[in-house]
Amino acid sequence: MLTHPQFDPVALQIGPVAIHWYGLTYLVAFGLFLWLASVRVKKPWFANAGWSRRDVEDLLFYGVLGVVIGGRLGFVLFYNLGHYLQNPLEIFAVWKGGMSFHGGMLGVGAALAIYSWTHKRPVLQTFDVIAPCVPTGLASGRIGNFINGELWGRFADPSLPWAMVFPQSGTEQPRHPSQLYQFALEGVLLFVFLWFYGRKQRAPGQVAAAFVVGYGVCRFIAEYFRQPDKGLENLPLGLSMGQWLCVPMLLGGALWWWWAGQREQKAKA
């Protein structure tokens, strides 16, 4: 049985300036996105459509706005709406924590739709450009969660070799290091799958749809090991809020993938 190392959240202190590990993981995520997306737009079907490194930089800007705004609003709506209705000013207190991936994904989708409209790009093509580049950012974020000792897992059998005590949880009982499970599933595994799936030209929208389905599967599995949010422990069928939010992702993503393929076949007919 292990104990969480209790990392100092500050990676580097220079006078009054403190650089946090969590901030560094975001920088790593942005850097990986720029690199991977720059490689991806060199694919013939993107290059011939006029995609360039400048487009990638613009996409990052729009994406960051979508993540922050959508992630915060998603947390407010999906996880603690009653509290924020009583304390509306706290919606803007992002420094206190509270972000939702599912909300962030919707925010990014809206931001990229706006980008596509303003830059006269097919929206499905825009989604396909970035989809395989997202999991490495998710992986970086999960490492940040682990360093901070947050979003810990459910109780684990003490005989599990990697069972870990998280003092921040307020108990001394061993738990699953679910942040690392999500790093492996949503980050590494999903990236490998999408990167290889996206090496060939697919019907417009199919790579993005594969991301939606793939993330839904990975997150649904990981939620069995992640401690549910306070007040959301007893949802129908014993599923967590994260799992319930993955259900429309799985169904919608599968329908989207099928529709994109049918649309391409009709276009070629």
Side-chain angles (χ1 to χ4, degrees):
M1 189 171 67
L2 307 173
T3 300
H4 184 265
Q6 298 294 281
F7 297 100
D8 185 339
V10 177
L12 181 64
Q13 183 85 39
I14 304 176
V17 179
I19 301 175
H20 291 249
W21 285 110
Y22 206 64
L24 291 178
T25 63
Y26 270 83
L27 288 178
V28 170
F30 297 155
L32 287 172
F33 176 85
L34 285 173
W35 174 49
L36 293 171
S38 295
V39 171
R40 188 151 171 75
V41 295
K42 292 179 182 178
K43 297 288 185 183
W45 52 94
F46 292 132
N48 292 339
W51 286 89
S52 68
R53 166 80 180 205
R54 176 61 183 271
D55 293 302
V56 171
E57 294 170 354
D58 290 342
L59 284 174
L60 178 60
F61 173 75
Y62 278 79
V64 169
L65 289 179
V67 165
V68 174
I69 297 173
R72 184 58 175 174
L73 291 179
F75 180 79
V76 170
L77 294 173
F78 302 147
Y79 290 92
N80 212 349
L81 180 59
H83 171 79
Y84 289 105
L85 286 176
Q86 295 178 0
N87 305 276
L89 292 180
E90 287 194 22
I91 294 175
F92 305 99
V94 293
W95 57 89
K96 293 184 178 180
M99 298 287 281
S100 160
F101 168 81
H102 298 88
M105 187 183 73
L106 293 173
V108 169
L112 295 184
I114 293 172
Y115 168 87
S116 300
W117 178 66
T118 57
H119 290 72
K120 295 180 173 57
R121 296 280 190 190
V123 67
L124 294 180
Q125 190 178 71
T126 301
F127 290 161
D128 284 343
V129 167
I130 73 158
C133 312
V134 174
T136 53
L138 300 178
S140 297
R142 295 310 177 193
I143 292 298
N145 294 148
F146 180 74
I147 290 174
N148 284 350
E150 60 192 11
L151 303 183
W152 49 77
R154 300 173 190 256
F155 295 131
D157 189 323
S159 65
L160 186 70
W162 54 85
M164 183 172 291
V165 174
F166 288 87
Q168 296 95 326
S169 69
T171 73
E172 294 299 316
Q173 292 182 272
R175 296 174 177 272
H176 289 281
S178 56
Q179 312 96 325
L180 301 183
Y181 297 178
Q182 291 186 261
F183 164 82
L185 289 169
E186 303 165 8
V188 178
L189 182 62
L190 186 56
F191 167 72
V192 172
F193 164 69
L194 287 173
W195 194 255
F196 279 94
Y197 182 71
R199 289 177 67 182
K200 294 182 180 180
Q201 186 174 11
R202 307 287 178 177
Q206 280 196 322
V207 175
F211 167 81
V212 174
V213 174
Y215 180 86
V217 170
C218 292
R219 179 65 180 267
F220 195 92
I221 294 171
E223 285 285 327
Y224 280 114
F225 303 96
R226 176 171 163 171
Q227 179 67 29
D229 291 85
K230 187 176 180 180
L232 299 174
E233 298 92 346
N234 299 304
L235 297 182
L237 301 181
L239 300 181
S240 69
M241 176 60 80
Q243 287 173 315
W244 276 114
L245 292 173
C246 284
V247 171
M249 287 185 67
L250 289 167
L251 297 176
L255 182 61
W256 179 2
W257 186 90
W258 175 83
W259 169 81
Q262 293 297 306
R263 181 171 176 264
E264 181 75 353
Q265 288 183 10
K266 289 180 180 179
K268 292 180 178 179

